[in-house]
Amino acid sequence: MSGASSTSPRSADGPRRPEGDAARDDSRIAEGRPRSGRRMPSRRVTVLAGTAASALLIGATRTTWAEATAPDLTGTSQSVAVTGSEAAPAVLALAVVAIAAALASSLSSTWVRYVTGPVLIAAGLSAAWSAIAAALDPIGAAGSAVTTATGVLGSEVDAVATPWPLLALIPAAAVAAVGVIVLVAGRSWPVGTRYRSAAVAAPSDPARDPAAAWDALTRGEDPSIDNGGSSTGDDGPPEPGTTPDPRRP
């Protein structure tokens, strides 16, 4: 008929979604991912980002954070370049803790991310605070390095901060941001426990796997005895209605 329409049927709530879109939504729900188009960072990307940010923070402590001048034992003024690890030792220590926490986030255990996430946040914020303190008080930050270089304790020190303490805020903030990502996006990361359960539920046969025989000996079991209590080399008595083998003792 000319008045007939070839449009597809519609549901009561509106147009029907294609089957491919529905299948993708179901797969996202099964994997624990959000149903919307927003994609959370994966575990690998998050771990790499945390490791890179921590490494950059470690590298920032190797640069000169303050230029100081102070007299030595002879009264001659000496110029001392104070590195970040000398001006703010806590930044280097916190960066090492952050890189360890970032690597630990690669583990599939659920409770690990609830530990590594706050550790990364605390390490990033604490490192940023230490860098700001070194930038605001370069004389106090340079005191230990100047004493070591000149050999004079309590001498008059003149120091000025370089831009590096402020630049160190960038990787410190990145470390804290990775900690937030671990807590938020970590809920969608898969938890790998099926491999362990399968290995425990399916023990190997010592008669076919020599390694399983050693495992049985380690557990204090006799690998020559099967689960039924009979020796693996004995097939048991003949079944009724069969002729026994005369060669068999």
Side-chain angles (χ1 to χ4, degrees), residues 10-25:
R10 296 171 176 263
S11 60
D13 297 336
R16 181 182 300 174
R17 292 187 303 166
E19 296 181 358
D21 295 344
R24 283 193 294 269
D25 288 342

Side-chain angles (χ1 to χ4, degrees), residues 4 19 24 36 40-41 46 65 69 104 176 210 243 247 249:
E19 296 181 358
R24 283 193 294 269
S36 62
M40 292 292 183
T46 304
W65 283 27
T69 56
T243 304
R247 295 174 300 177

Side-chain angles (χ1 to χ4, degrees), residues 149-182:
T150 61
V152 179
L153 180 62
S155 61
E156 184 177 354
V157 179
D158 186 15
V160 59
T162 65
W164 279 107
L166 298 180
L167 293 177
L169 296 177
I170 299 176
V175 169
V178 170
V180 176
I181 293 175
V182 169

Side-chain angles (χ1 to χ4, degrees), residues 175-191:
V175 169
V178 170
V180 176
I181 293 175
V182 169
L183 291 177
V184 175
R187 294 177 296 179
S188 62
W189 295 346
V191 179

Side-chain angles (χ1 to χ4, degrees), residues 17 23 34 47 50-51 58 67 111 115 118 121 136-137 146 161 172 201 214 226-227 238 243:
R17 292 187 303 166
V47 171
T51 305
I58 293 176
E67 294 284 352
W111 64 267
V115 176
I121 296 174
L136 295 178
D137 186 15
V146 169
W214 287 105
D226 59 8
N227 295 333
T243 304

